Amino acid sequence: MSPKLVSIGFGNSVVSRRVIAIISPNAAPIRRLRDEAREEKRLIDATQGRRTRSVLITDSNHVILSAIQSETIAQRFSPEGTLSVEDLEE
C-alpha cells in the first residue's frame, strides 16, 4: 500500500499516517513547542512566508508549520471530512 499524501498548502504534502496531531498555533505552549523544535532543527516551515495557521506534529517529533487552517487540513485526511479511530490506526 502506497502512503497517502495530504496537501498542507503551496505544493507541500505530508504522509498522512505520520501525522499525530494538527493544532492551532495560537496558544503559548504551542509557541514554545515551535521554538524548541527550531532550536533542535526539527522545525519544517511550509508556510511560504505566510502567517502560520496550523501546526502539525509527526511521529518523528518534527513540527511542521502550515498556512492552511487546522480544520481544512483535518478534512483532507478523510474524504468524508471526518476522522475515525480506524483512520488513525492505519
Side-chain angles (χ1 to χ4, degrees):
M1 181 173 134
S2 64
K4 180 182 175 191
L5 295 175
V6 175
S7 173
I8 59 168
F10 307 107
N12 300 299
S13 300
V14 294
V15 177
S16 63
R17 69 178 119 180
R18 301 294 305 265
V19 175
I20 60 171
I22 305 167
I23 49 184
S24 174
N26 300 328
I30 304 309
R31 287 194 287 272
R32 283 193 299 272
L33 179 72
R34 179 175 42 190
D35 293 341
E36 289 171 8
R38 180 176 287 121
E39 290 173 7
E40 297 171 7
K41 308 290 191 234
R42 295 182 291 109
L43 183 71
I44 301 169
D45 187 348
T47 62
Q48 303 294 319
R50 291 173 174 82
R51 181 173 151 233
T52 300
R53 295 177 184 245
S54 62
V55 178
L56 292 84
I57 310 297
T58 66
D59 59 357
S60 63
N61 210 23
H62 283 84
V63 176
I64 304 170
L65 307 179
S66 174
I68 306 297
Q69 291 285 348
S70 300
E71 296 83 10
T72 303
I73 294 174
Q75 288 175 352
R76 293 177 182 180
F77 275 76
S78 173
E80 298 83 32
T82 59
L83 290 174
S84 66
V85 173
E86 292 81 25
D87 292 333
L88 297 175
E89 291 175 348
E90 290 183 357

